[in-house]
Amino acid sequence: MSSIDLTPVPRGHIVADESFIFEGAAVATASDPNPSHERRRCPVYNVVIDHPNATILWDTGSHPDAGDGHWPADMYDAFTHEGARPLSEDLASVGYSLEDIDAVVMSHLHLDHAGGLHNFEGTEVPIFVHRDEFEFAYVSAKTAHGDEAYLEGDFDHELNWQLVSGPRASPFPDVDLFHLPGHSPGLVATVIDRADGPVILAGDIGYVEENWTERRPMGGSLLWNKELWLESCARLDDLATRFDATVVVGHDPDAIATVDQL
């Protein structure tokens, strides 16, 4: 185990209908033909992993111009990102700069996670992402197939891509990436085996913790493959037990506080 410090980087909030977060949250029935719809405010965040070998940034958040045309209007209407700012400003708010970042680990390439990648264009900073995610992102952005949550303008840059493949990769000592497809084809959980206690940054295997712990699926548009998602939830159960780790899930309201207290 290494001595590794974690610093959460708040990046604003996504506001979305609860039906995206929980499948069937507002379903019309004969007795309740007009159910109320609630919009929930959930944090977007990155994490700086201060590792003995490198200063690693986990995810890059949304593009700061998400609401000014970078995101499609209908996407922003459904998933409004309040408080989107440049990555450099949010890093500075917790004592880091873009120049401090030696490597980036991407949980996946959806628009609320890959919008800061442009900051590393033309640099030698390695960008770690699962091959399945990389390929599906390009298919989605460049063709009529795939998923609208991938934007070419987020990741189609001159970047030092480091593609990982298979069920597990280890880009740094005590930092392992485990493939957990379901939300997207190449979602990875980052397992950090710290001397102060192992942590799993599980990404969007769940938008909130209950998706994983209670097996309450996200709404259909947020699950690429429900069967693989259920298998990945079971795999995350095993990882949490095996490492005796604290698990931080997706956009859970307590995620930033959990990382901050580690």
Side-chain angles (χ1 to χ4, degrees):
M1 295 184 187
S2 302
S3 177
I4 302 173
D5 293 326
L6 304 178
T7 302
V9 185
R11 304 300 314 282
H13 292 79
I14 292 284
V15 184
D17 193 293
E18 193 169 34
S19 295
F20 290 115
I21 300 170
F22 295 117
E23 182 181 70
V27 176
T29 63
S31 59
D32 185 12
N34 298 297
S36 62
H37 284 251
E38 299 291 334
R39 296 190 87 215
R40 289 182 57 167
R41 191 168 180 264
C42 296
V44 177
Y45 60 94
N46 305 145
V47 179
V48 175
I49 305 169
D50 194 356
H51 187 280
N53 293 5
T55 300
I56 306 162
L57 179 65
W58 179 83
D59 275 354
T60 69
S62 301
H63 195 282
D65 296 330
D68 295 320
H70 186 81
W71 287 15
D74 57 346
M75 179 69 73
Y76 192 81
D77 193 40
F79 295 93
T80 306
H81 189 146
E82 297 179 343
R85 300 196 306 169
L87 176 58
S88 58
E89 293 183 16
D90 287 335
L91 281 172
S93 72
V94 296
Y96 289 89
S97 70
L98 286 169
E99 291 70 29
D100 292 328
I101 304 303
D102 300 310
V104 176
V105 169
M106 295 300 302
S107 66
H108 62 307
L109 294 175
H110 282 173
L111 72 178
D112 55 330
H113 296 261
L117 283 172
H118 64 93
N119 291 283
F120 303 99
E121 183 170 17
T123 73
E124 294 302 313
V125 173
I127 312 294
F128 293 92
V129 68
H130 200 280
R131 179 178 292 274
D132 291 354
E133 187 70 10
F134 182 82
E135 293 176 351
F136 189 72
Y138 269 93
V139 167
S140 296
K142 298 281 194 178
T143 76
H145 305 281
D147 188 331
E148 64 181 357
Y150 297 96
L151 300 182
E152 181 179 351
D154 283 342
F155 51 81
D156 191 21
H157 301 291
E158 183 187 342
L159 298 169
N160 182 15
W161 293 107
Q162 299 294 311
L163 305 186
V164 304
S165 58
R168 179 177 183 175
S170 302
F172 298 95
D174 297 319
V175 176
D176 296 291
L177 309 182
F178 287 86
H179 188 206
L180 299 179
H183 173 65
S184 74
L187 182 79
V188 294
T190 301
V191 178
I192 307 163
D193 200 7
R194 307 161 65 239
D196 292 336
V199 177
I200 301 176
L201 300 177
D204 286 3
I205 192 166
Y207 212 82
V208 295
E209 189 172 276
E210 296 93 324
N211 295 130
W212 164 53
T213 58
E214 300 177 13
R215 299 299 197 267
R216 296 181 64 187
M218 290 170 275
S221 65
L222 293 186
L223 273 187
W224 166 70
N225 186 304
K226 187 184 291 187
E227 182 177 359
L228 288 178
W229 174 74
L230 287 168
E231 293 175 4
S232 291
C233 285
R235 196 170 301 124
L236 181 57
D237 291 342
D238 178 66
L239 290 171
T241 301
R242 190 192 325 167
F243 285 91
D244 191 22
T246 299
V247 178
V248 184
V249 171
H251 302 273
D252 191 84
D254 295 328
I256 293 176
T258 298
V259 176
D260 201 33
Q261 293 165 10
L262 293 170

